[in-house]
Structure formats: C-alpha cells, structure tokens
C-alpha cells in the first residue's frame, strides 16, 4: 500500500509542477502595431508586454514563420507573409501564458508620385500624375496648401480633385475650384504619398482689354508708329468686328512692311502718375498672356514690349510667330523679355506696353495682327 502511494505521488508531481509553471507564466498583453496596414513583406512592429516567448504567430488562424532573434519581452518584428489575401485579417499571438488577437489590413504596395504636369494650371484644367501603385479602393487625389507632410486636420481642409482616368502608374485629374497652390497627395489602397514639389495656380493681372479696363485702361492715347493702315486712316485702331471679337473691343494693326523693317506699332503712354502693376512674384514665376489673331494671314510676327519705371532704358521685347486661323491664347515666360543690354524686365516695375506688327520673312504682303486681353500672370 505504501509503495502504491509513493508511485502515485511520483507520477503526479511533474503534472503539479507543470500546472504551477503555467499558472506563473504572465499573460501576454497587446499595446500597438505599426503600421496598422501593409503589403506583402512589409516590416511590422508589434509592441506589448510579456511576449518574449511567443509559441505561435498566426494570420487568420494559419501559423507563419518569424525570427525569434527579433522577439523581446516588449516587442516583435515580423513581416507580412507573401500570399496573404488582400483585406482585413486577424493576427493572433500565443505564448505559454495565453494569447491575444488584433486586426490588420493587408494592402497593396504604397503609392508613389514620380512627376506631374503641368506644374501650374487653372481650376478646371487637367493634371496628369505619373507614379506607381495607384490601386483602388480607395483612390483619391487631394490638393492642399502648406508644407508636407500632411496631417489629418490638413487633409480635411484640402480639396479633392475629380479623377477622369486612372491606371496603376498614371492618373488624369481635374484641378478643382478653390485651389491656389500647394502639394498633391495620392491616397491609394497602400496608403498616402505626398509630393515634394508644389502644384501652383495662376493669378492674372489685366494690363488692358481695350475696353477701358486694366492697369493701363486707355485706348485713345495709344501712340502709333510705322506705316500702318491706322496711321493712314483707312482702318480703325480699336475694333469689334472683322474678325469677330472674343469679348468687346480689340486692337488691330495692319499694313505693309516699310523700308526700316517693321510695319507699325501701338504704344501706351507713360505719365508721371504711372505706377507699377503690382506684380510681387519673381520674373521666373511670371508669364505674359495675350489673345492673338492674324485673321488668316500666315507668317505674321507680333512683337510685345514693356517699359520699366524711369531710369531703366529701352524696351524689353519678345516676338512670337502667328500662323493660327483664329483667336488663340499665348503664354510667354517673362524671362524672355530683354532690353538691348540683355537685361530681363522686372515685373514689379512695368509701366507701359507696346505691340508691334512685323514682317520678319520679308513677304512684302499686307499683314495683320489683332490682340486682346493683355495680362501678366503670376504663379502662386
């Protein structure tokens, strides 16, 4: 009888010791996971307590391999296993002390922006973005102001653009109303990516529309030079027909090239009260915008010039060739406008303009230019 008690005690002691050991093993505790979503092979940092002796790590109930060298009592580093289905999954951690489960979203690879064009545009224009991993859902493009990176509050203050076309590596987006300038953010299935180059819109400052509006509104004080039809009195200087106008009046110069080289010009006057147009951006961020029409006459050249405040000699000039059948809008970087010394015009000092009709190809034929809505355009 004594022998049987002794054998039974010997059998039960290991079991009691095992139960006591399990009872003394602390229960694992979940604290956080970063990031909360990721693609295949994404490195994940799990933080917790009492997780130094992980027995199993499971994705949706399936054990996955992990490196015990990257496992401490408070953290585990592991990678999202290859082949895990996209979408919401559950991750389970098991130790001798117990287990816990937390949700994890398996996503596509994170997006990236390589470039976008144009770099400046107006609301309603289209913007092409080139990059990678533009996977949906979700797939959105945000226009925002300020410096990157964008936090959640700034995202709520941003303006979402309408996506017209999307592929894995490219998108076409409509620039929304209300955008001034700022950075682009692509929100895709794999996360967010913010451009490190700002997108800009334009602010237009009207010089003249030949209807009495703008910085230099007068149309009757224009000074004419050359052998233009207007000097001979055969064609009106300010017209509203032939060709049909864009809106209201426009300036027309026409004639045949004189011996000196140009056909004619019309120039605004500088008065003692003249002030600058108020451009505050640098010359590299400023453009000239003008509506032009050669009325079907090809090989016609239009020279555009600006004058600065007193003390800055000469005209700052640039010429463009007109071959378009109707009205077109031309935009010319202001850095192209230089005087005879090669100096670039200062947009903050412009006080007068001149348009000049040229026949640089010496055709000897009657040529014509029509111009309207002369503006300086700032990139914001």
């Amino acid at each position: 009888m004594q022998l049987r008690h002794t054998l039974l005690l010997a059998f039960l002691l290991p079991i009691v010791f095992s139960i006591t050991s399990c009872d003394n093993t602390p229960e694992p505790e979940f604290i956080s996971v970063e990031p909360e979503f990721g693609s295949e092979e994404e490195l994940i940092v799990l933080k917790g307590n009492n997780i130094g002796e992980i027995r199993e790590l499971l994705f949706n109930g399936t054990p996955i391999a992990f490196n015990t060298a990257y496992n401490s009592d408070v953290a585990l580093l592991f990678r999202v296993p290859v082949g895990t289905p996209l979408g919401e999954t559950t991750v389970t951690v098991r130790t001798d002390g117990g287990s816990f489960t937390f949700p994890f979203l398996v996503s596509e690879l994170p997006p990236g922006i390589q470039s976008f064009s144009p770099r400046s545009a107006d609301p309603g224009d289209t913007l092409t973005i080139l990059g990678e991993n533009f996977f949906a859902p979700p797939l959105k493009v945000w226009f925002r102001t300020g410096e990157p990176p964008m936090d959640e509050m700034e995202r709520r203050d941003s303006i979402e653009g309408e996506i017209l076309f999307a592929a894995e590596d490219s998108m076409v987006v409509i620039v929304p109303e209300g955008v001034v300038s700022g950075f682009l953010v692509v929100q895709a299935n794999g996360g967010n990516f913010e451009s490190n180059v700002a997108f800009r819109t334009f602010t237009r400052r009207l010089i003249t529309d030949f209807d009495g509006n703008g910085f230099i509104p007068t149309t009757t004080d224009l000074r004419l030079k050359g052998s233009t039809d207007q000097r001979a009195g055969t064609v009106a200087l300010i017209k509203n027909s032939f060709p049909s106008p864009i809106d209201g009046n426009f300036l027309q110069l026409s004639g045949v090239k004189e011996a000196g080289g140009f056909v004619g010009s019309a120039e605004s006057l500088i008065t003692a009260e003249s002030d600058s147009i108020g451009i505050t951006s640098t010359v590299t961020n400023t453009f000239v915008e003008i509506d032009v029409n050669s009325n079907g006459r090809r090989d016609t050249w239009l020279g555009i010039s600006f004058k600065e405040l007193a003390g800055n000699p000469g005209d700052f000039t640039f010429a463009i060739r007109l071959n378009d059948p109707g009205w077109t809008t031309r935009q010319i970087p202001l850095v192209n406008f230089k005087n005879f010394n090669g100096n670039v015009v200062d947009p903050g000092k412009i006080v007068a303009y001149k348009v000049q009709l040229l026949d640089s190809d010496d055709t000897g034929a009657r040529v014509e230019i029509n111009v309207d809505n002369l503006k300086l355009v700032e990139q914001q």
Side-chain angles (χ1 to χ4, degrees):
M1 188 68 172
Q2 181 66 31
L3 179 60
R4 291 178 59 189
H5 286 169
T6 302
L7 292 173
L8 180 60
L9 182 60
F11 176 77
L12 291 176
L13 276 174
I15 298 177
V16 172
F17 180 79
S18 177
I19 294 173
T20 304
S21 298
C22 289
D23 290 343
N24 291 336
T25 302
E27 185 176 354
E29 177 187 0
F30 172 79
I31 295 179
S32 66
V33 61
E34 297 178 5
E36 295 180 349
F37 65 92
S39 58
E40 291 184 351
E41 298 188 304
E42 177 93 14
L43 182 63
I44 308 300
V45 179
L46 169 64
K47 294 182 181 180
N49 290 320
N50 308 319
I51 58 173
E53 297 293 337
I54 295 177
R55 298 305 181 195
E56 276 190 318
L57 181 64
L58 304 97
F59 263 64
N60 277 345
T62 302
I64 68 168
F66 64 95
N67 193 335
T68 56
Y70 300 105
N71 179 201
S72 72
D73 196 51
V74 295
L76 169 67
L77 274 63
F78 67 95
R79 294 188 181 276
V80 178
V82 175
T84 304
L86 298 177
E88 194 77 32
T89 187
T90 56
V91 181
T92 302
V93 174
R94 288 179 180 169
T95 71
D96 287 340
S99 66
F100 60 76
T101 299
F102 59 90
F104 186 83
L105 178 65
V106 180
S107 68
E108 298 278 9
L109 292 169
I113 299 175
Q114 296 171 352
S115 64
F116 60 86
S117 63
R119 296 279 290 275
S120 298
D122 291 308
D125 292 345
T126 57
L127 184 72
T128 299
I129 305 174
L130 302 180
E132 59 184 357
N133 304 324
F134 296 157
F135 295 113
L139 185 58
K140 298 180 180 181
V141 177
W142 302 88
F143 293 74
R144 77 171 192 88
T145 58
E147 299 293 331
M150 183 179 72
D151 61 25
E152 192 62 35
M153 181 61 70
E154 289 172 315
R155 183 177 296 112
R156 287 198 294 269
D157 293 337
S158 299
I159 304 175
E160 184 179 350
E162 179 186 352
I163 299 175
L164 294 180
F165 164 83
E168 181 181 336
D169 58 357
S170 63
M171 282 189 291
V172 177
V173 184
I174 296 178
V175 180
E177 293 291 337
V179 173
V180 178
S181 66
F183 296 86
L184 300 179
V185 176
V186 171
Q187 181 183 4
N189 184 276
N192 299 334
F193 187 91
E194 184 164 4
S195 67
N196 57 8
V197 176
F199 168 79
R200 299 182 182 277
T201 54
F202 298 117
T203 294
R204 287 169 171 78
R205 299 182 185 273
L206 180 66
I207 294 179
T208 185
D209 62 359
F210 304 101
D211 289 302
N213 303 308
F215 169 64
I216 306 175
T218 57
T219 56
T220 57
D221 295 335
L222 292 174
R223 181 167 50 203
L224 289 169
K225 292 184 178 180
S227 59
T228 65
D229 293 335
Q230 287 78 9
R231 284 177 61 84
T234 57
V235 177
L237 177 66
I238 304 299
K239 299 187 64 177
N240 57 20
S241 60
F242 305 110
S244 298
I246 294 178
D247 181 23
N249 296 321
F250 56 89
L251 170 70
Q252 182 183 92
L253 292 176
S254 61
V256 178
K257 180 177 179 180
E258 63 179 10
F262 73 98
V263 181
S265 65
E267 181 178 348
S268 67
L269 304 180
I270 300 176
T271 65
E273 292 78 24
S274 290
D275 197 359
S276 70
I277 194 172
I279 296 290
T280 57
S281 63
T282 64
V283 66
T284 56
N285 288 334
T286 308
F287 297 81
V288 174
E289 189 174 272
I290 188 171
D291 294 321
V292 295
N293 187 338
S294 63
N295 209 4
R297 289 168 171 79
R298 300 180 63 82
D299 301 319
T300 302
W301 288 79
L302 166 65
I304 307 170
S305 302
F306 295 105
K307 291 184 182 294
E308 290 188 357
L309 295 168
N312 299 280
D315 295 339
F316 297 82
T317 302
F318 187 76
I320 57 175
R321 189 169 191 160
L322 307 183
N323 277 325
D324 303 302
W327 287 101
T328 59
T329 301
R330 296 290 188 90
Q331 197 175 74
I332 311 157
L334 199 59
V335 292
N336 291 340
F337 290 77
K338 301 178 181 180
N339 66 3
F340 55 82
N341 291 324
N343 298 322
V344 177
V345 66
D346 183 342
K349 297 181 178 180
I350 291 176
V351 294
Y353 70 88
K354 177 169 66 177
V355 291
Q356 190 172 13
L357 175 57
L358 309 172
D359 181 9
S360 298
D361 295 334
D362 293 318
T363 63
R366 182 178 177 275
V367 288
E368 177 183 313
I369 57 170
N370 302 278
V371 299
D372 201 359
N373 302 317
L374 177 59
K375 302 171 184 177
L376 288 182
V377 182
E378 294 180 273
Q379 283 184 323
Q380 295 301 302

